[in-house]
Amino acid sequence: MKTVTIIGLGLIGGSLAISLQEQGLVTHRIGVDLSAENRQQALALGLVDEASADLAAAVRRADLVVVAVPMDAMLTVLPQVLDAVDHQVVIDVGSTKSMLLAAVAGHPRRGRFVAVHPMAGTEFSGPAAAVAGLFDDKTLVICDAAQSDADAVATVEQLFTRLNMRIEYLDAAAHDLHTAYVSHISHITSFALALTVLKKEKEEQQIFALASGGFASTVRLAKSSPAMWVPIFRQNRVNVLDVLDEHIQQLQHLRQLIDADDAAALHQQIEQANLISKILK
Amino acid sequence: MKTVTIIGLGLIGGSLAISLQEQGLVTHRIGVDLSAENRQQALALGLVDEASADLAAAVRRADLVVVAVPMDAMLTVLPQVLDAVDHQVVIDVGSTKSMLLAAVAGHPRRGRFVAVHPMAGTEFSGPAAAVAGLFDDKTLVICDAAQSDADAVATVEQLFTRLNMRIEYLDAAAHDLHTAYVSHISHITSFALALTVLKKEKEEQQIFALASGGFASTVRLAKSSPAMWVPIFRQNRVNVLDVLDEHIQQLQHLRQLIDADDAAALHQQIEQANLISKILK
């Protein structure tokens, strides 16, 4: 692996640029971004060795191409990338998969593309959000691996194993279902919590002097970018609505128990919720 | 300040025992707990120098008394403590205030009691959960300070300033309103999120391989103890129901926008939620 072209110089693209360099997995990094400001910032931060706005040329010079743009742009950028590919290995790093894989299903270079989702991130975005070690000890999901050329899958497995990631294999539909549960719903609850508190704060200014670690950790994801999350919610709409309905029902049940002052049932529900600690230490 | 008696040897009582000792603010620590196991564990962990089940005797020997029991027990324990007090300074560390202050309003030793709420904690409980530095750089709320003797308030202010806490003053009603917003609602959303995912997980086992830092941080508070939280929700029922209704409405609004595939409005709502980052860095 010599040259990587990273398209989209945000949190994930930038962090991957750092990690690939640190592990000696690439010798040259080309950054592509529509935003001249992002290209300049990525260069200034040393995330890439060269910045370009010419996608096709940057793809042709690469051995590995990483497409790290929001999921709406992904649907048009990934086919453009595959149009320019012959031998290169191409990965996305996107949070939804079914629509994307349908969009490139018939592409003559489909085999060079490996659909991956590193289960890692922060609430921040843009080149300045890129951090070292973001992927360390996290899970990488590879989707529909059988649709990719065997050598391309092997390259991706080797690369992310070197970044100390655990690799899981899922089909696109299962990926989108599971990520609705463990990732997308968390973001919606956090956005809603922020909106709730901001709404109330109009009445009561002093509230924020009192915010402790618990509130901060629950509301942290509400700082996440709409440019990233709106397309995710749209592309995973059916699964997100399903888990969101369950969540609203659980909240309404807790509300009803508090309203009825039913201490025993409330205690039982919280004990049930505590079982999450058997799964997440 | 020489001897502190700490009643309730859990996360908060135990952590305060550590901090008071570390800062050289006490020379002897007596721990009182109904549970023989907690008393033994607190001794073994060095949280206290002496353990006792005789509340009144331990109070009489103290200069400072800390009552750190769940809010349901607090309503009966605090009056018992005040019954045994003459010159001592007594504090609670409870998460709700209106009911508690009503319960001791007419007590002849009311002036010796200062109602405080350190805005600090973790999702863990019991003596083993006690940690050093829990209160450092956090806020301490003092409630209805005018109802306490001036020397008792001054003692408390000095003590917690030495623990590097910022002191805020609120009346009990305002305290209960604000904590519903910044603390109690976070716990309810987190309990509901855990219940949601656990419900779905019965259908889909593999989900937890994919949990990332975002999910972990949002669901962390769901590990919190029902013995602590049920009494808080009951004692702050009206405020909790009010903010919970707002939160359910915000979730239903986001649900409606996702269902209608209204990208522009969804984007606007997330941008609105992002404003939380201006208040919480």
Side-chain angles (χ1 to χ4, degrees), chain A residues 94-132:
Chain A
S95 298
T96 54
K97 293 297 185 222
S98 297
M99 264 197 178
L100 180 66
L101 293 191
V104 296
H107 197 286
R109 295 284 171 271
R110 171 63 182 89
R112 305 313 301 157
F113 168 56
V114 184
V116 309
H117 183 189
M119 303 303 297
T122 75
E123 65 275 34
F124 305 113
S125 48
V131 285

Side-chain angles (χ1 to χ4, degrees), chain A residues 239-257:
Chain A
N239 291 319
V240 164
L241 287 175
D242 174 55
V243 66
L244 185 48
D245 283 342
E246 176 65 36
H247 184 59
I248 291 172
Q249 213 170 309
Q250 292 289 350
L251 279 167
Q252 280 167 335
H253 185 217
L254 292 176
R255 191 217 180 276
Q256 177 201 321
L257 297 179

Side-chain angles (χ1 to χ4, degrees), chain A residues 95-99 171-186 188 232-247, chain B residues 196 200 203-204 255 258-259:
Chain A
S95 298
T96 54
K97 293 297 185 222
S98 297
M99 264 197 178
D171 65 50
H175 167 275
D176 288 359
L177 185 68
H178 292 310
T179 53
Y181 295 167
V182 297
S183 168
H184 306 172
I185 186 65
S186 289
I188 294 176
I232 292 172
F233 296 149
R234 296 183 73 189
Q235 292 187 19
N236 204 17
R237 182 170 161 277
V238 173
N239 291 319
V240 164
L241 287 175
D242 174 55
V243 66
L244 185 48
D245 283 342
E246 176 65 36
H247 184 59
Chain B
T196 301
K200 289 293 185 182
E203 301 159 27
E204 305 289 346
R255 192 218 178 277
I258 294 169
D259 191 36

Side-chain angles (χ1 to χ4, degrees), chain A residues 1 4 6 12-13 15-17 19-20 23 25 64-68 89-94 114-120 134-142 152-169:
Chain A
M1 197 63 66
V4 62
I6 297 175
I12 300 295
S15 297
L16 197 52
S19 293
L20 290 172
Q23 294 301 315
L25 296 168
L64 172 71
V65 181
V66 177
V67 191
V89 173
V90 179
I91 61 170
D92 74 320
V93 288
V114 184
V116 309
H117 183 189
M119 303 303 297
L134 184 65
F135 307 104
D136 186 60
D137 200 28
K138 303 283 168 52
T139 297
L140 180 84
V141 182
I142 299 183
V153 174
T155 297
V156 168
E157 288 168 340
Q158 283 160 24
L159 210 63
F160 285 94
T161 301
R162 289 282 298 275
L163 299 187
N164 195 29
M165 297 195 82
R166 293 178 297 276
I167 298 181
E168 297 270 336
Y169 302 85

Side-chain angles (χ1 to χ4, degrees), chain A residues 119 139 141 168-170 177-178 181-182 185-186 188-189 191-200 203-204 206-227 229-230 233-234 237 240-248 250-252 254-255 258-259 261 263 266-267 269-277 279-281, chain B residues 119 139 141 168-170 177-178 181-182 185-186 188-189 191-200 203-204 206-227 229-230 233-234 237 240-248 250-252 254-255 258-259 261 263 266-267 269-277 279-281:
Chain A
M119 303 303 297
T139 297
V141 182
E168 297 270 336
Y169 302 85
L170 288 174
L177 185 68
H178 292 310
Y181 295 167
V182 297
I185 186 65
S186 289
I188 294 176
T189 61
F191 289 132
L193 180 62
L195 290 167
T196 301
V197 173
L198 289 166
K199 177 80 172 288
K200 289 293 184 183
E203 300 158 26
E204 304 289 347
Q206 200 175 6
I207 181 168
F208 293 104
L210 308 182
S212 69
F215 178 66
S217 111
T218 319
V219 87
R220 177 172 73 81
L221 299 181
K223 302 172 186 174
S224 303
S225 141
W229 282 97
V230 171
F233 296 149
R234 296 183 73 189
R237 182 170 161 277
V240 164
L241 287 175
D242 174 55
V243 66
L244 185 48
D245 283 342
E246 176 65 36
H247 184 59
I248 291 172
Q250 292 289 350
L251 279 167
Q252 280 167 335
L254 292 176
R255 191 217 180 276
I258 294 169
D259 191 35
D261 200 25
L266 209 47
H267 197 282
Q269 285 296 299
I270 294 179
E271 272 188 337
Q272 176 71 22
N274 287 170
L275 295 177
I276 200 76
S277 67
I279 298 151
L280 290 184
K281 298 298 169 196
Chain B
M119 303 304 297
T139 297
V141 182
E168 298 270 334
Y169 301 85
L170 288 175
L177 185 69
H178 292 311
Y181 295 168
V182 298
I185 186 65
S186 289
I188 294 177
T189 60
F191 289 132
L193 180 63
L195 289 167
T196 301
V197 173
L198 290 166
K199 178 80 173 289
K200 289 293 185 182
E203 301 159 27
E204 305 289 346
Q206 202 177 1
I207 182 170
F208 293 104
L210 308 182
S212 69
F215 178 67
S217 113
T218 319
V219 88
R220 176 171 74 81
L221 300 180
K223 302 172 186 176
S224 303
S225 142
W229 282 96
V230 171
F233 297 148
R234 295 183 74 190
R237 181 169 161 277
V240 165
L241 287 175
D242 174 55
V243 66
L244 187 46
D245 284 341
E246 177 66 36
H247 184 57
I248 291 172
Q250 293 288 351
L251 280 167
Q252 280 167 335
L254 292 176
R255 192 218 178 277
I258 294 169
D259 191 36
D261 200 25
L266 209 47
H267 196 282
Q269 285 296 298
I270 294 179
E271 272 186 339
Q272 177 70 19
N274 287 170
L275 295 177
I276 200 76
S277 67
I279 298 151
L280 290 183
K281 297 299 170 197

